[in-house]
Structure formats: C-alpha cells, structure tokens
Amino acid sequence: MANATPTKAGAATAVAEDTAIRPFRIDVPEEALVDLRRRIVATRWPERETVADQTQGVQLATIQELARYWGTEYDFRRFEARLNALPQFITEIDGLDIHFIHVKSPHKNAMPLIITHGWPGSVIEMLNVVGPLTDPTSHGGDPEDAFDLVVPSIPGYGYSAKPTATGWDPVHIADAWIALMRRLGYTRFVAQGGDWGAQITDVIGAKAPPELLGIHSNMPGTAPPDVSKALASGGPAPSGLSADESRAWEQLKFLYAKGIGYATEMALRPQTLYGLADSPVALAAWMLDHDARSYADIARAFEGDPVGKLTRDEVLDNITLTWVTNTGVSSGRLYWENKLGFFDVKGVSVPAAVSVFPRELYQAPRSWTEQAYPNLIYFNEVGKGNHFAAWQEPDLFTTEVRSAFRSLR
C-alpha cells in the first residue's frame, strides 16, 4: 500500500490493494546461508548432560549430530525448493500480511479445506499431505475425496508478517482464517488442525460461520471443566473417572507438571529468548524439545533410524525456515497472547471429527470427546503417529481427514 494519502479515487485502489492476493516465492540470499553455516560451526558447546536419558533436555550427542549434518550435508536450498514447487500467496488481513499455500484440486466439486499448523511447526508439516489431499487419484484414493487446500502460516511464523502490536491471539487468528476463506471465494469449507492449529480450528468451530461445514482435530480440546480446574490447581483427580479418562488425566497431569516448560517460558517471557535469533543451534534445540515422545522420534532420525516420514531433512527444513525468517521469538509470542486452555472445551457446535494418535500429548477419551463436541460425526483411535501427525504419518493422516469429512460432502 502506498505511503501517500490517497485521494477519493485512490482510496478505492488502496482498499483493493489491501484485499489483493499476491503471488509469492521464496528467495533466500546466499549470504544468509553462508552466515548460517558459519554460526553452526562456531557453536560453543556446554558439557554433556549428567544423566543417561533425556530428562535434562536435548542430549548433547543428538544436537551435535544435528549440527554436523546441518552444517556439512544438509541441502540449504531444499526447503526453499519444496515450498516454491507449490502455489504460494500473500494477502493482508487486519493490517498484517498472511502467507499461505493454496492448491486447487484437479477434480470437480473438491471440498475446500483450511489446515493450520502449530508450534514448533510451520507449513512444512503439511507438505507431504498436499498431493494426496488435493489429487487423491494420483495417490491411491477416489476423486470424491478431493480437497482444495489452503495452508496458512500463523502470524509471526514463517513468511507471514510478525505482529508489531498485541492482539493476535487464537481467536483473532480464527477470524482471519474465516476472512481468508471468504476472500478466496469459498462459500463452504471445512477446517483442520493440530497443536495451535487444533485450538484455532476449535475456535472457528465455536464461531460457526455460515460457510463452515465442520472441523477435524488431531489434538482436540476435550478436558471437562472439573478436570481443567483440578489440573490448574494441582488438586486430585475428579472422582468417577473411567479407565480411559484416568489415562488422559495422568497424561495431562504429567504434561502440566513436567512437559511444557517451553510453553511456560514463552507464555510468560517470550522476549527473553534472544538466543533463538542469535544461535541456530539454540533455536534447533529449543524446537526439538517440544515433548518427550516427539523428541525421542526426532533423535532417532539423527541416529539414522527415522520413525515414519519424520526424517532429519524434514526436521531441518522446519528449523531452517524458522531461522531464515528469524521467527523463533515472534512465533513464541502466541503463547503469551493466548488466554484459552490448551485442552479445554471450546464450545464447538458444528459437526466435528476427531482422530486420536497414540503418541499425542494425551489420548482424548471418547466420553470426553462426545461431551466436548455434541455434533461428533467421526472418532477414531489410530495405531501409530505422534504429535506431528501429518508430518510423521502423512498417509494415515490423509486417510483420517478423508474419512472425517466424507459425510459432509
């Protein structure tokens, strides 16, 4: 938008420019990659942890192997080429540039779907499901299961702009995503998400815009109010929990006690994390240490034994994207902005589908899920996969999304 004050004739142009959808391509300067390699090589290492497991955090051997591979063998243009192979766009919503991938299906009557990533992820998480979701016949599926796919970058992540003022919380982002789908001309759509994407998708489902047919979550907000209250206070479990509910209680209790130190820091003091902007190895370690199960799978990738598609190149694509966009700190501010409980019920009224992955932060019980989503149309507990469901198990994730929305076509 021009800096000059527009005339009456120019005002209409300014508004048109505000809502314009601009093609976008990534072009990382070579000097930025040279500087990244230099910083990796210059890392000053601490001593090894004093335990034989990962209870003190990311282990020295794992992060040193990551740094070795990142600095000597990893193709720094890899993530750039992967993203530039897809149609990318920028559009301004509420004064902020939003980056998104938009792939239209070759099949008629494809269902419009917006998928939202989480932290420490990015649109990189979703790249392996783009083809199967948009062109199912080329990936062993039926044309009736085709989607038009929209994958936006959350504000402060990747190539979306960084908010310069407060207010971009999950509720605001949900409103922006509804505006984005309308701007793209969709009069009906469905929404999907995990991690932050799950919370944003739940909020979209609670807002229930007329265009929304339904939602799907792989990290649903199902904790009943009495469970959330007990977790927050550190009190005992509510009485009368079933076996599945007791399992979920223990998982959430552990998570809040020992599993979300990163979230607590970013929720309280995100600006303090200057090392994420100054040291690529500090950024990598911070992003690896999301949860114990995911970290264990990622560590295996750098030992040469990846679990599913969560390979060392995939992991480094995500970290490299975060480094070159300098979004380590800006992405963390979403925790500071958030006022909603991660796993609390959000009041979704639209048709909802839930897939429970076995290595997720917690396994949502069907009983809680039915209470949280009164219009539950699909519920399935799958046999493998962790917190990064689409990233690690793209084929299984694709199958779940197709099944979740089939009844809404």
Side-chain angles (χ1 to χ4, degrees):
M1 188 162 50
N3 291 326
T5 302
T7 62
K8 282 189 176 181
T13 302
V15 170
E17 288 174 349
D18 285 349
T19 60
I21 297 171
R22 293 124 48 199
F24 179 80
R25 283 181 62 83
I26 298 167
D27 184 15
V28 180
E30 183 61 29
E31 54 266 29
L33 301 182
V34 171
D35 178 66
L36 172 53
R37 291 188 189 94
R38 178 188 63 79
R39 288 172 183 264
I40 293 170
V41 171
T43 300
R44 185 174 72 166
W45 298 102
E47 65 284 353
R48 181 188 176 280
E49 61 277 3
T50 58
V51 293
D53 56 27
Q54 53 91 21
T55 53
Q56 289 185 356
V58 176
Q59 293 149 297
L60 183 63
T62 297
I63 197 66
Q64 285 187 327
E65 175 55 23
L66 180 150
R68 185 205 64 77
Y69 182 76
W70 200 12
T72 60
E73 297 183 43
Y74 172 75
D75 181 358
F76 282 85
R77 294 293 179 185
R78 173 185 154 89
F79 86 93
E80 181 181 70
R82 295 184 78 203
L83 285 174
N84 283 338
L86 296 170
Q88 299 173 82
F89 303 90
I90 296 281
T91 193
E92 184 181 318
I93 300 177
D94 293 347
L96 201 72
D97 275 349
I98 301 297
H99 164 264
F100 62 99
I101 297 166
H102 186 199
V103 181
K104 294 184 178 181
S105 173
H107 300 294
K108 288 184 178 180
N109 302 316
M111 175 179 279
L113 166 63
I114 183 167
I115 294 185
T116 309
H117 65 84
W119 186 94
S122 66
V123 295
I124 294 289
E125 289 182 66
M126 309 304 168
L127 297 188
N128 291 327
V129 302
V130 171
L133 288 174
T134 59
D135 189 8
T137 57
S138 296
H139 297 83
D142 299 321
E144 293 79 12
D145 286 328
F147 295 91
D148 278 358
L149 192 60
V150 179
V151 187
S153 295
I154 293 173
Y157 289 68
Y159 285 98
S160 280
K162 303 169 187 177
T164 57
T166 61
W168 277 95
D169 61 359
V171 177
H172 192 171
I173 296 168
D175 285 330
W177 281 192
I178 295 168
L180 173 60
M181 295 303 279
R182 289 171 176 167
R183 188 171 297 180
L184 292 172
Y186 291 124
T187 57
R188 63 185 193 108
F189 69 91
V190 291
Q192 198 286 328
D195 196 88
W196 280 122
Q199 185 167 136
I200 292 164
T201 298
D202 266 1
V203 174
I204 294 173
K207 289 177 175 291
E211 300 90 345
L212 184 67
L213 298 177
I215 67 167
H216 173 257
S217 176
N218 56 276
M219 198 191 80
T222 69
D226 59 337
V227 170
S228 295
K229 184 177 179 180
L231 287 168
S233 67
S239 61
L241 297 182
S242 70
D244 286 350
E245 292 167 351
S246 294
R247 178 190 64 181
W249 163 266
E250 292 298 333
Q251 290 169 332
L252 290 171
K253 182 180 177 181
F254 172 84
L255 184 67
Y256 279 98
K258 296 186 177 182
I260 53 172
Y262 65 92
T264 301
E265 175 65 21
M266 290 188 287
L268 295 175
R269 312 285 285 182
Q271 192 64 29
T272 297
L273 298 169
Y274 291 98
L276 306 187
D278 184 62
S279 166
V281 168
L283 177 67
W286 186 251
M287 294 176 72
L288 258 58
D289 204 19
H290 179 272
D291 68 277
R293 291 170 174 171
S294 297
Y295 168 72
D297 287 353
I298 291 170
R300 281 182 57 177
F302 286 94
E303 294 167 0
D305 183 27
V307 182
K309 299 292 185 181
L310 202 58
T311 66
R312 57 187 183 178
D313 282 329
E314 293 276 350
V315 171
L316 286 171
D317 286 349
N318 186 50
I319 297 170
T320 302
L321 172 61
T322 305
W323 175 262
V324 299
T325 55
N326 194 15
T327 49
V329 171
S330 60
S331 60
R333 292 196 190 104
L334 184 55
Y335 288 84
W336 187 91
E337 292 280 359
N338 179 51
K339 304 299 186 291
L340 302 173
F342 286 110
F343 306 105
D344 290 359
V345 176
K346 306 298 190 302
V348 174
S349 59
V350 300
V354 167
S355 298
V356 179
F357 285 77
R359 291 171 64 80
E360 182 52 270
L361 301 181
Y362 87 115
Q363 279 69 62
R366 180 163 193 141
S367 56
W368 290 2
T369 305
E370 289 174 345
Q371 295 173 38
Y373 303 100
N375 198 354
L376 186 68
I377 59 171
Y378 180 84
F379 179 89
N380 191 33
E381 295 177 313
V382 301
K384 58 183 178 179
N386 70 17
H387 181 73
F388 301 103
W391 204 8
Q392 185 179 52
E393 300 292 345
D395 294 340
L396 180 55
F397 178 87
T398 297
T399 298
E400 285 300 294
V401 172
R402 290 173 181 168
S403 299
F405 292 126
R406 195 166 285 140
S407 68
L408 299 180
R409 292 181 180 271

